[in-house]
Amino acid sequence: MNILLLGATGSIGDSVLSVIKENHSELNLFGITFHKNKNKSQEIIKDFKPEFAYVEDRSTFEDLKDTSDITFLNGDSSLKELIEHDDVDVIISAISGFAGLKATYLAASTGKKILLANKESIVAGGDLITARAKKFNSKIIPIDSEHNAIFQCLSGQRSPDDVQNITITASGGPFIGKKISDLKDVTKDDALNHPNWDMGSKISIDSATLVNKCLELIEAKYLFDLEESIFDLVIHPQSIVHSVVTYKDGSSICQMSMPDMRVPIAHALSNEHRLPINFEKINFNDLNLSFHAFPEDRLQIQKIAREVCNSGGHLGTIFNAANEVAVESFLNDQISFDKIYEVIHRTFDNNSMSKDVSIESIYEADTQTRIKAKKVVKSIT
Ligand code: NDP
Ligand code: MG
């Protein structure tokens, strides 16, 4: 199976490469994309010898293009050709943030299997990405751990009407148990230090604010095409139960594994049989699982996510862009951690975008929202 890995130099990229390595007789890394990480991309090229490497950043492309006998690509039309290449069987969407929308949108029109990690493209692209994938028969399989869990728990169901509700679990992040008002002085290192997962910086901050779970609620609504009211969010600090589907006859089915992104990736990459990986077993002889209510002071942000689910249009684009600007501003030392919420709320309120969505209008809404959010950041600093 030939794999095109979008965002190969990131944390999800690492996990995918590890699964490929362990299953090299079945899986082949055909192509990679990345932004500008020279060292990491060169290591991957040396180890896996893909045929193509698409480099988003022009000057990095110029530096790399003659360094190896593989083909380096740059520019939107080359990206499109690579994504549509006849030899690509599976496309893994693992670029971080809104930057992943371009490639995910292209992938949705190929009719190929898409393994989706880049939740921001679903949140910002909303109806557009899933509708396009449906139209072109491109099958999206989630590798975000909660969504992959739901996907597995739903397989074998008789009818979508049988589902009573779906509980999406959240680790709670590094500040579990803390109120927003306790988080004024936390540092970047504190916020990036996730207790269970080792991830890229943007999603690590999203996990610390719990906005990640709000993005995941929207992601779930679109991927499974279910009403927002079916989904509950719950804190589960051990990150072992990755989500739970409760059926109308009272059965709750969950998927469990130690926190390791290679598990959902291996599942999503499997075809006729499950791909073996070297995983850490759950020690059922000494296992304490706990579940708590989502913190009350994050209900307001959850309400925004639910509004995005119910109203659609450009609201997902606006929510996502407001959050991306807020996270960047925190990482650039412009605002304190607790102000991330204020930036999102003030940017999201009173927007007046039309409900008709196209790829162009999504880019426009993203641009306008970033301008507004940056003004909010400026007013705070
Ligand atoms: P990382 O920050 O570790 O990696 C991001 C990847 O995207 C890198 O390959 C980077 O290239 C590339 N990239 C960044 N900006 C651009 C751009 N403008 N154009 C093209 N490529 C770009 O992110 P993660 O791997 O942590 O996350 C990837 C996605 O998966 C996110 O959407 C995240 O929410 C989701 N996800 C991640 C999980 C995890 O465990 N990490 C869990 C569940 C979901 P370069 O290195 O050259 O900058
Ligand atoms: Mg997740």
Side-chain angles (χ1 to χ4, degrees):
M1 186 194 286
N2 277 339
I3 296 169
L4 172 60
L5 177 52
L6 311 171
T9 48
S11 154
I12 290 285
D14 277 343
S15 298
V16 170
L17 294 171
S18 165
V19 173
I20 294 177
K21 211 170 225 169
E22 283 192 79
N23 291 278
H24 57 86
S25 60
E26 289 188 50
L27 306 176
N28 174 47
L29 186 67
F30 179 78
I32 60 170
T33 82
F34 59 99
H35 187 212
K36 54 181 170 186
N37 189 334
K38 284 187 201 164
N39 291 343
K40 190 86 174 272
S41 60
Q42 283 181 315
E43 275 171 35
I44 298 170
I45 289 165
K46 197 163 137 266
D47 285 358
F48 290 86
K49 302 183 181 60
E51 288 183 39
F52 295 97
Y54 171 86
V55 193
E56 184 68 33
D57 180 62
R58 182 81 200 171
S59 78
T60 309
F61 165 74
E62 295 293 342
D63 291 348
L64 289 177
K65 67 178 192 228
D66 299 318
T67 56
S68 138
D69 50 10
I70 75 154
T71 307
F72 285 94
L73 305 167
N74 169 257
D76 287 356
S77 57
S78 304
L79 178 65
K80 185 168 184 288
E81 276 172 34
L82 179 58
I83 287 173
E84 289 174 355
H85 197 296
D86 280 346
D87 292 345
V88 170
D89 302 309
V90 177
I91 300 164
I92 304 188
S93 167
I95 293 171
S96 168
F98 185 77
L101 178 70
K102 180 171 71 175
T104 310
Y105 182 73
L106 289 170
S109 349
T110 57
K112 299 176 197 269
K113 184 164 153 181
I114 303 168
L115 269 51
L116 185 98
N118 177 228
K119 63 192 87 181
E120 295 92 341
S121 61
I122 292 289
V123 172
D127 300 324
L128 208 67
I129 300 288
T130 44
R132 205 166 172 82
K134 209 170 179 181
K135 180 172 165 198
F136 288 92
N137 238 338
S138 312
K139 190 169 170 53
I140 300 181
I141 303 186
I143 51 178
D144 204 349
S145 54
E146 299 75 5
H147 304 73
N148 183 269
I150 297 167
F151 186 90
Q152 294 199 49
C153 297
L154 286 175
S155 69
Q157 68 169 325
R158 288 172 212 150
S159 149
D161 294 342
D162 288 345
V163 176
Q164 169 116 348
N165 85 304
I166 296 181
T167 306
I168 303 177
T169 54
S171 69
F175 307 133
I176 188 166
K178 296 242 164 52
K179 295 203 172 73
I180 296 175
S181 54
D182 298 331
L183 301 175
K184 283 192 181 77
D185 300 322
V186 297
T187 65
K188 266 188 285 190
D189 285 349
D190 297 331
L192 289 169
N193 186 18
H194 197 282
N196 305 344
W197 301 96
D198 183 13
M199 309 180 285
S201 54
K202 196 268 174 177
I203 184 174
S204 296
I205 302 301
D206 287 345
S207 297
T209 55
L210 296 184
V211 169
N212 183 48
K213 225 32 65 176
C214 299
L215 296 171
E216 290 189 353
L217 171 65
I218 304 166
E219 181 189 9
K221 179 239 141 53
Y222 281 117
L223 289 182
F224 301 108
D225 196 18
L226 291 165
E227 290 294 313
E228 150 281 311
S229 55
I230 285 225
F231 298 100
D232 297 323
L233 305 181
V234 71
I235 303 291
H236 165 50
Q238 296 81 21
S239 298
I240 289 177
V241 172
H242 297 292
S243 280
V244 186
V245 174
T246 300
Y247 287 98
K248 287 187 175 155
D249 61 4
S251 284
S252 289
I253 315 270
C254 72
Q255 183 268 344
M256 297 167 77
S257 51
M258 296 303 284
D260 178 348
M261 286 309 293
R262 295 176 312 129
V263 174
I265 290 166
H267 164 264
L269 277 171
S270 64
N271 250 341
E272 273 116 45
H273 65 95
R274 295 217 174 212
L275 294 174
I277 59 165
N278 187 8
F279 65 93
E280 184 187 347
K281 285 188 191 149
I282 299 169
N283 179 2
F284 286 101
N285 291 328
D286 182 21
L287 182 65
N288 288 304
L289 299 179
S290 53
F291 299 86
H292 318 283
F294 210 70
E296 287 218 353
D297 63 355
R298 307 315 139 87
L299 292 180
Q300 215 189 333
I301 199 92
Q302 197 187 133
K303 215 171 127 204
I304 291 189
R306 293 192 184 274
E307 190 183 337
V308 171
C309 292
N310 288 321
S311 302
H314 293 90
L315 289 188
T317 322
I318 294 168
F319 178 45
N320 181 67
N323 179 51
E324 288 196 17
V325 170
V327 171
E328 268 163 34
S329 307
F330 169 67
L331 288 173
N332 293 334
D333 300 315
Q334 288 168 280
I335 55 169
S336 56
F337 184 87
D338 58 315
K339 296 289 182 195
I340 292 175
Y341 303 96
E342 184 179 331
V343 173
I344 298 171
H345 286 298
R346 284 176 51 193
T347 308
F348 191 81
D349 286 349
N350 305 319
N351 60 74
S352 57
M353 288 292 304
S354 106
K355 275 203 132 198
D356 294 330
V357 171
S358 65
I359 190 71
E360 293 78 19
S361 73
I362 286 174
Y363 276 100
E364 179 59 20
D366 178 77
T367 304
Q368 293 306 330
T369 307
R370 282 170 199 268
I371 293 170
K372 185 174 173 190
K374 282 177 188 163
K375 279 190 192 148
V376 176
V377 168
K378 223 165 171 191
S379 76
I380 290 173
T381 48

